[in-house]
């Protein structure tokens, strides 16, 4: 389907009364909700109006409640302890958002990227069409792009926005053509290298009555570091601050003074509890990470920041360069939380009033599973599950207990060890590459393996749908030559450099590969070099080793630039095939036991 019919469809849905598209790189859509919905009609209006901003981020196509510990949020209790609360699932997210909107005449819903990509099988098997359908039903008004929106490249991202059936696999539902999103994806800092223009709209104006709020969407400048090269081919990712400030000025010129930035980059709060107060002992004192510098340098024209990427929960006040309070929020991931923010709009200045008195603090709210399910989302899940069932329900193997992966906060994750072992076993034979060890990026582990059955398969049974959810990217495995010195450098790049220095990414390693990680030290010194061993023998810097890794890592992804220096590459099987082959050797009588996760010795 072309862009024009999609745009017309969006107009019909929102009952728009105005559509303005400015010329050039500042192309933007102004959506006006029905004027009759505004308060008062011809009556006198108050000087200010409260606008409810509901937001979330890093949904990752998680339609069904996430399994294992990754399906919980941590809640800080009055005595200082924490409690795990099961959360998430689009049936509950829909109910939560719809309940939250009640009584709010002015309400807008926005997201900060990674709505799709890295998705469980129910969505990923169908190239995330089910998730776009669900987000339409959630009445999402606008989202920024995240790095995962580029997993399948820009052409596929544009298909998500404008519709049309998959170019290879066609239409998934008989007689139905995918219609695309009813909300815009914003990409203010992503430009086409040839045209020098934004690849998608940089801004969006939400309008209701006389209230106008502008949105600017950006992804992290480092997106090429965390996406395969093919996914970002022909695109340039520019500085977040410069891009937002540029378009904030453009919005101001068009008379839009109230501005919200949707930023797919985030922070790291000092506590993992969703209700932790990151403004103690002072404003923004309890948060670190890239978003802090971004927030401190964004133009005061920007009134609020909805952020993401780190999968953390926070609602912090990081003052703008003029010293005015400005809220920076993130709602964890997978639809387990949403943020409820009140924006006080001044009808005279057309700006958001930002004072501690006039700006109630945003609140992250749990999407609990003890509330009614939204029937339309239940129907959606059942319909797509019926299409997926012949593949999804196929048993792959057996486990004896939960195997934590995405939900584990430890540097070494049991499921990470299991995946690395599976890759090593599949690629160790001489005719398969002769791998001596395997390494796995932690971000590629998308879930836990839960012992409790998710359907009718029985406890301890791992289905294809569950294994797919853990490894959804279909990365081809690469077996390459690396020197011992390059291996050690790769370990050092886990905890140093511009990408991983502030937020380490600890590679998961196969059995027999061991070393010590000393977190009391700084940067590359955290790797105790003489502790790095393979099968008990010290790594020889001058020796060549055969190493298995996915194509993302082999391309230098996640800041591991040294891995691009490999030689003698052999392309192996897809990572999911390796994982399923390993699971397939287990039985109900001899299930896989969770690895001990004792290969990396951590000194704290």
């Amino acid at each position: 389907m072309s862009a024009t019919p999609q745009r017309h469809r969006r107009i019909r849905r929102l009952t728009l009364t105005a559509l303005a598209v400015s010329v050039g790189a500042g192309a933007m859509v102004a959506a006006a909700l029905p004027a009759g919905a505004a308060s008062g009609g011809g009556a006198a209006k108050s000087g200010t109006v409260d606008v409810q901003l509901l937001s979330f981020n890093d949904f990752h196509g998680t339609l069904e409640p996430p399994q294992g510990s990754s399906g919980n949020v941590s809640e800080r209790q009055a005595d200082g302890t924490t409690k795990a609360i099961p959360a998430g699932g689009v049936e509950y997210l829909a109910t939560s958002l719809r309940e939250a909107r009640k009584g709010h005449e002015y309400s807008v819903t926005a997201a900060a990227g990674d709505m799709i990509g890295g998705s469980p099988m129910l969505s990923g098997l169908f190239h995330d069409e089910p998730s776009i359908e669900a987000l339409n039903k959630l009445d999402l008004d606008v989202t920024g792009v995240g790095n995962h929106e580029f997993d399948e490249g820009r052409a596929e991202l544009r298909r998500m926005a404008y519709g049309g059936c998959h170019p290879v696999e066609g239409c998934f539902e008989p007689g139905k053509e995918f219609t695309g999103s009813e909300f815009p994806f914003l990409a203010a800092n992503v430009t086409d290298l040839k045209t020098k223009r934004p690849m998608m709209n940089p801004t969006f104006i939400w309008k209701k009555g006389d209230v106008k709020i502008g949105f600017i969407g950006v992804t992290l400048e480092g997106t090429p570091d965390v996406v395969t090269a093919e996914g970002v081919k022909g695109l340039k990712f520019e500085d977040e601050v410069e891009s937002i400030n540029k378009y904030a000025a453009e919005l101001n010129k068009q008379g839009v003074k109230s501005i919200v930035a949707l930023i797919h980059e985030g922070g790291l709060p000092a506590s993992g509890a969703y209700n932790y107060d990151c403004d103690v002992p002072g404003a923004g004192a309890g948060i670190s990470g890239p978003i802090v510098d971004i927030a401190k340098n964004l133009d005061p024209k920007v009134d609020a920041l909805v952020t993401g990427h780190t999968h953390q929960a926070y609602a912090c006040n990081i003052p703008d360069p003029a010293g005015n309070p400005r809220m920076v929020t993130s709602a964890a991931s997978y639809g387990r939380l949403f943020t409820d923010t009140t924006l006080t709009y001044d009808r005279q200045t057309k700006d958001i009033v930002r004072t501690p008195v006039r700006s109630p603090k945003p609140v992250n709210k749990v999407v609990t599973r003890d509330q009614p399910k939204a029937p339309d989302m239940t129907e959606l899940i059942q319909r797509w599950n019926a299409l997926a069932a012949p593949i999804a329900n196929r048993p792959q193997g057996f486990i004896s207990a939960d195997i934590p992966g995405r939900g584990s906060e430890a540097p070494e994750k049991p499921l990470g060890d299991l995946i690395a072992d599976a890759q090593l076993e599949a690629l160790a034979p001489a005719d398969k590459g002769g791998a001596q060890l395997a390494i796995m990026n932690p971000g590629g582990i998308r879930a836990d393996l839960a012992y409790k059955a998710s359907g009718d398969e029985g406890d301890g049974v791992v289905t294809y749908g569950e294994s797919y959810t853990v490894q959804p990217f279909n990365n081809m495995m690469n077996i390459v030559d690396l020197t011992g010195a390059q291996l050690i450098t790769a370990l050092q790049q886990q905890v140093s450099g511009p990408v991983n220095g502030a937020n380490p990414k600890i590679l998961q390693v196969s059995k027999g590969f061991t070393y010590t990680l000393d977190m009391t030290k700084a940067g590359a010194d955290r790797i105790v070099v003489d502790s790095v061993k393979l099968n008990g023998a010290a790594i020889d810097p001058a020796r060549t080793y055969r190493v298995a890794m996915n194509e993302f890592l082999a391309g230098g992804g996640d800041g591991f630039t040294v891995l691009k220096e490999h030689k003698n590459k052999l392309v192996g099987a897809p990572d999911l095939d390796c994982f399923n082959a390993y699971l397939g050797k287990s039985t109900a009588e001899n299930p896989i036991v969770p690895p001990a996760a004792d290969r990396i010795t951590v000194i704290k």
Side-chain angles (χ1 to χ4, degrees), residues 315-491:
C316 305
N317 172 15
I318 303 177
D320 69 21
N324 300 316
R326 183 163 61 187
M327 297 312 303
V328 180
T329 67
S330 174
S333 60
Y334 307 142
R336 294 173 295 163
L337 299 174
F338 69 94
T339 311
D340 192 336
T341 303
T342 299
L343 302 174
T344 301
Y345 183 90
D346 188 317
R347 285 191 160 108
Q348 282 292 111
T349 65
K350 300 180 181 180
D351 205 350
I352 300 299
V353 180
R354 284 194 280 133
T355 67
V357 175
R358 294 308 301 269
S359 300
K361 186 167 183 175
V363 178
N364 274 323
K365 297 183 176 179
V366 181
V367 178
T368 60
R369 300 181 196 166
D370 58 359
Q371 59 184 316
K373 297 179 180 180
D376 58 335
M377 294 300 182
T378 301
E379 184 277 332
L380 180 152
I381 289 171
Q382 290 174 344
R383 178 162 45 85
W384 286 101
N385 262 331
L387 289 174
I391 298 173
N393 296 337
R394 193 167 63 221
Q396 295 298 308
F398 301 84
I399 56 176
S400 66
D402 288 350
I403 305 182
R406 190 73 180 189
S408 170
E409 295 182 0
E412 182 182 357
K413 309 173 193 305
L415 188 51
D417 287 355
L418 182 66
I419 291 170
D421 287 350
Q423 294 173 353
L424 176 61
E425 182 169 301
L427 304 170
D431 62 340
K432 301 295 184 182
Q436 296 168 275
L437 70 147
I439 54 177
M440 173 65 192
N441 57 306
I445 307 167
R446 305 306 300 179
D448 300 339
L449 278 184
Y451 178 78
K452 183 175 176 59
S454 58
D456 299 330
E457 72 274 13
D459 291 349
V461 179
V462 180
T463 65
Y464 183 87
E466 290 166 341
S467 64
Y468 181 102
T469 295
V470 169
Q471 293 253 267
F473 297 114
N474 199 34
N475 268 314
M476 300 304 292
M477 292 301 300
N478 289 181
I479 308 92
V480 302
D481 282 354
L482 290 174
T483 66
Q486 289 171 324
L487 267 176
I488 291 170
T489 298
L491 296 181

Side-chain angles (χ1 to χ4, degrees), residues 12-243:
R12 289 197 299 272
R13 174 182 175 268
L14 294 175
T15 322
L16 298 181
T17 59
L19 178 67
V21 180
S22 64
V23 179
M28 56 188 298
V29 178
L33 294 182
S39 62
K45 296 177 180 177
S46 63
T48 62
V49 59
D50 284 344
V51 178
Q52 179 190 57
L53 171 63
L54 302 178
S55 59
F56 58 100
N57 51 276
D58 296 275
F59 181 64
H60 290 290
T62 309
L63 300 175
E64 296 176 298
Q67 283 194 292
S69 54
S70 59
N72 297 329
V73 293
S74 177
E75 182 179 76
R76 186 179 178 87
Q77 307 297 298
D79 62 1
T81 60
T82 58
K83 175 184 177 182
I85 301 176
V90 77
E91 295 161 295
Y92 304 110
L93 178 60
T95 298
S96 293
L97 292 177
R98 291 164 184 171
E99 286 297 314
R101 292 179 186 127
K102 290 181 178 178
H104 292 273
E105 187 176 359
Y106 296 84
S107 183
V108 57
T109 304
D114 277 8
M115 293 297 97
I116 55 175
S119 306
M121 183 177 176
L122 179 58
S123 186
L125 186 65
F126 305 106
H127 297 275
D128 279 316
E129 290 183 20
S131 290
I132 296 296
E133 181 184 346
L135 293 167
N136 288 342
K137 289 178 180 292
L138 286 178
D139 291 322
L140 180 63
D141 290 295
V142 59
T143 183
V145 295
N147 54 286
H148 280 283
E149 266 80 16
F150 295 92
D151 282 348
E152 296 189 50
R154 70 165 130 180
E156 181 65 3
L157 173 53
R158 291 186 65 81
R159 189 179 77 87
M160 291 292 100
Y162 299 117
C165 294
H166 192 271
V168 176
E169 298 176 34
C171 299
F172 294 113
E173 294 187 284
K176 288 186 180 181
E177 181 173 341
F178 176 59
T179 55
S181 68
E182 296 174 0
F183 52 88
F185 287 90
L186 305 183
N189 69 329
V190 187
T191 57
D192 186 296
L193 283 171
K194 289 183 178 179
T195 67
K196 312 299 181 186
R197 293 165 60 90
M199 68 155 286
M200 303 187 88
N201 284 342
T203 59
F204 170 82
I205 300 173
W206 178 85
K207 183 177 180 182
K208 181 172 182 179
D210 61 344
V211 175
K212 291 191 293 185
I213 297 176
F215 290 86
I216 305 169
V218 299
T219 185
L220 68 153
E221 184 181 9
T223 290
D225 295 325
V226 293
V227 177
T228 58
E230 191 63 28
V232 295
K233 187 177 181 180
L235 299 173
K236 180 181 180 182
F237 293 79
E238 299 174 330
D239 181 84
E240 304 96 335
V241 172
E242 291 176 6
S243 299

Side-chain angles (χ1 to χ4, degrees), residues 499-515:
V499 178
N500 299 331
N503 185 20
K505 293 185 180 70
I506 305 304
L507 295 167
Q508 308 299 287
V509 297
S510 56
K511 58 187 175 183
F513 191 69
T514 58
Y515 69 94

Side-chain angles (χ1 to χ4, degrees), residues 512-542:
F513 191 69
T514 58
Y515 69 94
T516 297
L517 179 64
D518 188 348
M519 296 303 289
T520 67
K521 296 182 179 178
D525 289 340
R526 289 173 168 172
I527 303 301
V528 181
V529 174
D530 60 8
S531 72
V532 184
K533 297 179 180 180
L534 179 61
N535 299 323
I539 289 291
D540 181 349

